[in-house]
Amino acid sequence: EYNGEFPPYTYPIGVGKDNLGILFNNFKIKKQKLIKGPYALVYIQPSPAWGPHSKYCFLSYLEMICKKYSKKYNKFQIVIPDWIQEDLNNNDTFYYKIIKCIKKFYNKLIIKYPEEEKILYENDNKRSNSELTLRADILPQKREIFISLMKDSIRDILVTGDQSLTDILSCCKRKRVWYQIAPWKQGLARNLE
């Protein structure tokens, strides 16, 4: 547990004063064949266990990604964890916030499930054929494939947790890490800035 709060029963690993550092990996990365780029990767945890901000964290990242990459990529994909697609299907407020964000940048929003694909939004007055696809058919994966997915994604990546952070810093030094801060991880996040 990086920047853990239970000494003397844990080693003081983590970042900042009185911590011993982060444990990095040196592993060979297998090539994944699940998705071709360009795509972004989101691996964050749902509320309420990780605080009340999970949806806000995803929506903020989504808006930043759309602003940054919609002009560069006419067709773009975002790999999402199961809980996002479940909340999208079961929460009208979350659904409408996603649509509101997407329609500023893309003319079509698609969600891809393991068995099917569904259009969530389509602008009838198309100026272009731009589309964003939420990929709910990729995660979860074995660690080796997950690390390969991280490596092949665009530079901006949204993750949480000690293992994901260590993996992304180990495999992909040029990534711009956006980190979901759990209430008990504020010390780690603040020291990483």
PDB file of all heavy atoms in Angstrom, residues 11-28:
ATOM      1  N   TYR A  11       5.384  -1.446   5.482  1.00  0.00           N
ATOM      2  CA  TYR A  11       6.596  -0.737   5.089  1.00  0.00           C
ATOM      3  C   TYR A  11       6.205   0.626   4.560  1.00  0.00           C
ATOM      4  O   TYR A  11       5.195   0.752   3.853  1.00  0.00           O
ATOM      5  CB  TYR A  11       7.347  -1.514   3.994  1.00  0.00           C
ATOM      6  CG  TYR A  11       7.978  -2.773   4.481  1.00  0.00           C
ATOM      7  CD1 TYR A  11       7.417  -4.004   4.210  1.00  0.00           C
ATOM      8  CD2 TYR A  11       9.152  -2.730   5.225  1.00  0.00           C
ATOM      9  CE1 TYR A  11       8.000  -5.173   4.650  1.00  0.00           C
ATOM     10  CE2 TYR A  11       9.752  -3.899   5.676  1.00  0.00           C
ATOM     11  CZ  TYR A  11       9.164  -5.115   5.394  1.00  0.00           C
ATOM     12  OH  TYR A  11       9.741  -6.264   5.844  1.00  0.00           O
ATOM     13  N   PRO A  12       6.996   1.646   4.818  1.00  0.00           N
ATOM     14  CA  PRO A  12       6.643   2.984   4.339  1.00  0.00           C
ATOM     15  C   PRO A  12       7.052   3.189   2.874  1.00  0.00           C
ATOM     16  O   PRO A  12       7.945   3.968   2.562  1.00  0.00           O
ATOM     17  CB  PRO A  12       7.414   3.909   5.287  1.00  0.00           C
ATOM     18  CG  PRO A  12       8.619   3.112   5.673  1.00  0.00           C
ATOM     19  CD  PRO A  12       8.152   1.667   5.706  1.00  0.00           C
ATOM     20  N   ILE A  13       6.387   2.440   1.973  1.00  0.00           N
ATOM     21  CA  ILE A  13       6.681   2.645   0.558  1.00  0.00           C
ATOM     22  C   ILE A  13       5.722   3.702   0.014  1.00  0.00           C
ATOM     23  O   ILE A  13       4.620   3.881   0.508  1.00  0.00           O
ATOM     24  CB  ILE A  13       6.606   1.336  -0.258  1.00  0.00           C
ATOM     25  CG1 ILE A  13       5.247   0.665  -0.110  1.00  0.00           C
ATOM     26  CG2 ILE A  13       7.721   0.385   0.162  1.00  0.00           C
ATOM     27  CD1 ILE A  13       5.068  -0.555  -0.984  1.00  0.00           C
ATOM     28  N   GLY A  14       6.166   4.412  -0.997  1.00  0.00           N
ATOM     29  CA  GLY A  14       5.364   5.474  -1.583  1.00  0.00           C
ATOM     30  C   GLY A  14       6.242   6.647  -1.953  1.00  0.00           C
ATOM     31  O   GLY A  14       7.466   6.526  -2.071  1.00  0.00           O
ATOM     32  N   VAL A  15       5.625   7.790  -2.108  1.00  0.00           N
ATOM     33  CA  VAL A  15       6.309   8.987  -2.573  1.00  0.00           C
ATOM     34  C   VAL A  15       6.194  10.067  -1.507  1.00  0.00           C
ATOM     35  O   VAL A  15       5.139  10.249  -0.909  1.00  0.00           O
ATOM     36  CB  VAL A  15       5.688   9.485  -3.895  1.00  0.00           C
ATOM     37  CG1 VAL A  15       6.406  10.713  -4.403  1.00  0.00           C
ATOM     38  CG2 VAL A  15       5.717   8.380  -4.938  1.00  0.00           C
ATOM     39  N   GLY A  16       7.273  10.791  -1.274  1.00  0.00           N
ATOM     40  CA  GLY A  16       7.255  11.892  -0.321  1.00  0.00           C
ATOM     41  C   GLY A  16       8.140  11.607   0.881  1.00  0.00           C
ATOM     42  O   GLY A  16       8.779  10.544   0.987  1.00  0.00           O
ATOM     43  N   LYS A  17       8.153  12.556   1.790  1.00  0.00           N
ATOM     44  CA  LYS A  17       8.996  12.483   2.978  1.00  0.00           C
ATOM     45  C   LYS A  17       8.727  11.195   3.768  1.00  0.00           C
ATOM     46  O   LYS A  17       7.591  10.804   3.955  1.00  0.00           O
ATOM     47  CB  LYS A  17       8.725  13.701   3.848  1.00  0.00           C
ATOM     48  CG  LYS A  17       9.653  13.829   5.010  1.00  0.00           C
ATOM     49  CD  LYS A  17       9.376  15.098   5.784  1.00  0.00           C
ATOM     50  CE  LYS A  17      10.436  15.210   6.849  1.00  0.00           C
ATOM     51  NZ  LYS A  17       9.961  15.480   8.138  1.00  0.00           N
ATOM     52  N   ASP A  18       9.801  10.588   4.214  1.00  0.00           N
ATOM     53  CA  ASP A  18       9.759   9.383   5.041  1.00  0.00           C
ATOM     54  C   ASP A  18       9.226   8.146   4.326  1.00  0.00           C
ATOM     55  O   ASP A  18       8.871   7.160   4.965  1.00  0.00           O
ATOM     56  CB  ASP A  18       8.957   9.616   6.328  1.00  0.00           C
ATOM     57  CG  ASP A  18       9.562  10.712   7.192  1.00  0.00           C
ATOM     58  OD1 ASP A  18      10.808  10.821   7.212  1.00  0.00           O
ATOM     59  OD2 ASP A  18       8.797  11.455   7.832  1.00  0.00           O
ATOM     60  N   ASN A  19       9.129   8.165   2.986  1.00  0.00           N
ATOM     61  CA  ASN A  19       8.717   6.994   2.217  1.00  0.00           C
ATOM     62  C   ASN A  19       9.910   6.457   1.437  1.00  0.00           C
ATOM     63  O   ASN A  19      10.815   7.209   1.074  1.00  0.00           O
ATOM     64  CB  ASN A  19       7.569   7.342   1.261  1.00  0.00           C
ATOM     65  CG  ASN A  19       6.260   7.497   2.005  1.00  0.00           C
ATOM     66  OD1 ASN A  19       5.782   6.557   2.620  1.00  0.00           O
ATOM     67  ND2 ASN A  19       5.690   8.687   1.960  1.00  0.00           N
ATOM     68  N   LEU A  20       9.888   5.154   1.183  1.00  0.00           N
ATOM     69  CA  LEU A  20      11.025   4.485   0.554  1.00  0.00           C
ATOM     70  C   LEU A  20      10.982   4.465  -0.971  1.00  0.00           C
ATOM     71  O   LEU A  20      11.924   4.019  -1.594  1.00  0.00           O
ATOM     72  CB  LEU A  20      11.108   3.041   1.066  1.00  0.00           C
ATOM     73  CG  LEU A  20      11.308   2.886   2.579  1.00  0.00           C
ATOM     74  CD1 LEU A  20      11.208   1.423   2.977  1.00  0.00           C
ATOM     75  CD2 LEU A  20      12.648   3.472   2.998  1.00  0.00           C
ATOM     76  N   GLY A  21       9.889   4.907  -1.586  1.00  0.00           N
ATOM     77  CA  GLY A  21       9.792   4.921  -3.040  1.00  0.00           C
ATOM     78  C   GLY A  21       8.766   3.931  -3.560  1.00  0.00           C
ATOM     79  O   GLY A  21       8.044   3.287  -2.802  1.00  0.00           O
ATOM     80  N   ILE A  22       8.716   3.810  -4.882  1.00  0.00           N
ATOM     81  CA  ILE A  22       7.764   2.937  -5.567  1.00  0.00           C
ATOM     82  C   ILE A  22       8.516   1.756  -6.164  1.00  0.00           C
ATOM     83  O   ILE A  22       9.635   1.901  -6.651  1.00  0.00           O
ATOM     84  CB  ILE A  22       7.032   3.723  -6.683  1.00  0.00           C
ATOM     85  CG1 ILE A  22       6.141   4.789  -6.068  1.00  0.00           C
ATOM     86  CG2 ILE A  22       6.197   2.807  -7.553  1.00  0.00           C
ATOM     87  CD1 ILE A  22       5.414   5.656  -7.092  1.00  0.00           C
ATOM     88  N   LEU A  23       7.900   0.595  -6.143  1.00  0.00           N
ATOM     89  CA  LEU A  23       8.501  -0.605  -6.724  1.00  0.00           C
ATOM     90  C   LEU A  23       8.148  -0.685  -8.204  1.00  0.00           C
ATOM     91  O   LEU A  23       6.982  -0.815  -8.563  1.00  0.00           O
ATOM     92  CB  LEU A  23       7.987  -1.853  -5.992  1.00  0.00           C
ATOM     93  CG  LEU A  23       8.240  -1.888  -4.485  1.00  0.00           C
ATOM     94  CD1 LEU A  23       7.518  -3.071  -3.850  1.00  0.00           C
ATOM     95  CD2 LEU A  23       9.726  -1.940  -4.197  1.00  0.00           C
ATOM     96  N   PHE A  24       9.145  -0.583  -9.065  1.00  0.00           N
ATOM     97  CA  PHE A  24       8.925  -0.650 -10.503  1.00  0.00           C
ATOM     98  C   PHE A  24       9.135  -2.062 -11.011  1.00  0.00           C
ATOM     99  O   PHE A  24       9.857  -2.852 -10.412  1.00  0.00           O
ATOM    100  CB  PHE A  24       9.866   0.305 -11.240  1.00  0.00           C
ATOM    101  CG  PHE A  24       9.519   1.743 -11.025  1.00  0.00           C
ATOM    102  CD1 PHE A  24      10.229   2.520 -10.131  1.00  0.00           C
ATOM    103  CD2 PHE A  24       8.460   2.329 -11.710  1.00  0.00           C
ATOM    104  CE1 PHE A  24       9.910   3.841  -9.925  1.00  0.00           C
ATOM    105  CE2 PHE A  24       8.130   3.651 -11.505  1.00  0.00           C
ATOM    106  CZ  PHE A  24       8.859   4.411 -10.613  1.00  0.00           C
ATOM    107  N   ASN A  25       8.522  -2.358 -12.142  1.00  0.00           N
ATOM    108  CA  ASN A  25       8.641  -3.657 -12.789  1.00  0.00           C
ATOM    109  C   ASN A  25       9.479  -3.519 -14.052  1.00  0.00           C
ATOM    110  O   ASN A  25       9.482  -2.474 -14.691  1.00  0.00           O
ATOM    111  CB  ASN A  25       7.256  -4.179 -13.198  1.00  0.00           C
ATOM    112  CG  ASN A  25       6.384  -4.431 -12.004  1.00  0.00           C
ATOM    113  OD1 ASN A  25       6.749  -5.169 -11.115  1.00  0.00           O
ATOM    114  ND2 ASN A  25       5.222  -3.804 -11.979  1.00  0.00           N
ATOM    115  N   ASN A  26      10.141  -4.588 -14.423  1.00  0.00           N
ATOM    116  CA  ASN A  26      10.864  -4.639 -15.687  1.00  0.00           C
ATOM    117  C   ASN A  26      10.361  -5.880 -16.414  1.00  0.00           C
ATOM    118  O   ASN A  26      10.923  -6.956 -16.290  1.00  0.00           O
ATOM    119  CB  ASN A  26      12.371  -4.714 -15.447  1.00  0.00           C
ATOM    120  CG  ASN A  26      13.153  -4.633 -16.732  1.00  0.00           C
ATOM    121  OD1 ASN A  26      12.609  -4.291 -17.775  1.00  0.00           O
ATOM    122  ND2 ASN A  26      14.428  -4.958 -16.664  1.00  0.00           N
ATOM    123  N   PHE A  27       9.262  -5.721 -17.148  1.00  0.00           N
ATOM    124  CA  PHE A  27       8.653  -6.885 -17.765  1.00  0.00           C
ATOM    125  C   PHE A  27       8.596  -6.744 -19.275  1.00  0.00           C
ATOM    126  O   PHE A  27       8.634  -5.645 -19.812  1.00  0.00           O
ATOM    127  CB  PHE A  27       7.239  -7.137 -17.232  1.00  0.00           C
ATOM    128  CG  PHE A  27       6.445  -5.889 -16.976  1.00  0.00           C
ATOM    129  CD1 PHE A  27       6.037  -5.066 -18.012  1.00  0.00           C
ATOM    130  CD2 PHE A  27       6.112  -5.536 -15.689  1.00  0.00           C
ATOM    131  CE1 PHE A  27       5.312  -3.919 -17.771  1.00  0.00           C
ATOM    132  CE2 PHE A  27       5.380  -4.384 -15.441  1.00  0.00           C
ATOM    133  CZ  PHE A  27       4.980  -3.581 -16.467  1.00  0.00           C
ATOM    134  N   LYS A  28       8.511  -7.884 -19.927  1.00  0.00           N
ATOM    135  CA  LYS A  28       8.355  -7.903 -21.366  1.00  0.00           C
ATOM    136  C   LYS A  28       6.870  -7.747 -21.675  1.00  0.00           C
ATOM    137  O   LYS A  28       6.032  -8.434 -21.091  1.00  0.00           O
ATOM    138  CB  LYS A  28       8.873  -9.228 -21.927  1.00  0.00           C
ATOM    139  CG  LYS A  28       9.055  -9.227 -23.405  1.00  0.00           C
ATOM    140  CD  LYS A  28       9.822 -10.459 -23.840  1.00  0.00           C
ATOM    141  CE  LYS A  28      10.190 -10.292 -25.294  1.00  0.00           C
ATOM    142  NZ  LYS A  28      11.108 -11.312 -25.732  1.00  0.00           N
TER     143      LYS A  28
END
